[in-house]
């Protein structure tokens, strides 16, 4: 059974950093497509960063140069290092995984993923 558990969220001031973790079980992260999404009340869940089975990442334009997605195969964990945080980064952050995705260009599309974690809240104050 696929299970994803996020952690690492919290409250920080603008310009600060957080490192989110997504502990995976029931599958091996290196064999799945994985991604981070975020959602604020009243808005659709949006893709932030994704990584394919070959380790190639993709990022939303809004976070390029500030966020880095990575995975530790030994720990079977996905990470999102978030630097230079802005108030507009405030959201619930979700980890997602799927065995197949249409292609690298689809990594940040919500409907490509069937497995989701419960989320971790990130709040950035100005």
């Amino acid at each position: 059974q696929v299970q994803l558990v996020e952690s690492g969220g919290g409250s920080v001031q603008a310009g600060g950093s957080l490192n989110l973790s997504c502990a995976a079980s029931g599958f091996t992260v290196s064999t799945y497509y994985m991604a981070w999404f975020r959602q604020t009340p009243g808005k659709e869940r949006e893709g932030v960063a994704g990584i394919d089975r070959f380790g190639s990442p993709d990022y939303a334009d809004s976070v390029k140069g500030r966020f880095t997605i990575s995975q530790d195969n030994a720990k079977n964990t996905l990470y999102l290092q978030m630097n230079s945080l802005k108030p507009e980064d405030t959201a619930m952050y979700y980890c997602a995984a799927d065995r197949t995705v249409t292609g690298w260009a689809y990594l940040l599309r919500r409907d490509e993923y069937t497995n989701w974690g419960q989320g971790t809240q990130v709040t950035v104050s100005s």
Side-chain angles (χ1 to χ4, degrees), residues 82-117:
M82 305 187 296
N83 298 327
S84 302
L85 282 162
K86 304 175 181 180
E88 51 263 44
D89 295 319
T90 295
M92 184 71 78
Y93 283 72
Y94 298 91
C95 175
D98 209 287
R99 188 190 300 271
T100 60
V101 166
T102 304
W104 178 86
Y106 293 77
L107 280 175
L108 302 185
R109 288 188 58 165
R110 177 169 47 95
D111 55 3
E112 292 283 335
Y113 296 90
T114 56
N115 302 291
W116 295 85

Side-chain angles (χ1 to χ4, degrees), residues 8-12 18 20 82 85 89-93 120-124:
S11 296
V12 296
L18 284 173
L20 305 184
M82 305 187 296
L85 282 162
D89 295 319
T90 295
M92 184 71 78
Y93 283 72
T120 185
Q121 177 68 38
V122 171
T123 302
V124 184

Side-chain angles (χ1 to χ4, degrees), residues 13-37:
Q13 290 192 326
S17 298
L18 284 173
N19 189 25
L20 305 184
S21 300
C22 173
S25 59
F27 71 102
T28 303
V29 296
S30 61
T31 65
Y32 271 52
Y33 295 83
M34 299 194 70
W36 288 96
F37 288 75

Side-chain angles (χ1 to χ4, degrees), residues 4-93:
L4 302 167
V5 179
E6 301 96 333
S7 62
S11 296
V12 296
Q13 290 192 326
S17 298
L18 284 173
N19 189 25
L20 305 184
S21 300
C22 173
S25 59
F27 71 102
T28 303
V29 296
S30 61
T31 65
Y32 271 52
Y33 295 83
M34 299 194 70
W36 288 96
F37 288 75
R38 65 187 181 188
Q39 188 171 22
T40 55
K43 291 190 176 181
E44 290 190 357
R45 194 169 295 188
E46 64 170 355
V48 174
I51 188 165
D52 68 11
R53 293 182 302 172
F54 308 101
S56 296
D58 191 22
Y59 298 93
D61 288 343
S62 59
V63 307
K64 280 182 181 175
R66 301 189 297 122
F67 291 11
T68 303
I69 189 171
S70 65
Q71 59 190 44
D72 185 328
N73 294 336
K75 294 183 178 180
N76 214 37
T77 299
L78 181 75
Y79 299 98
L80 184 68
Q81 177 65 44
M82 305 187 296
N83 298 327
S84 302
L85 282 162
K86 304 175 181 180
E88 51 263 44
D89 295 319
T90 295
M92 184 71 78
Y93 283 72

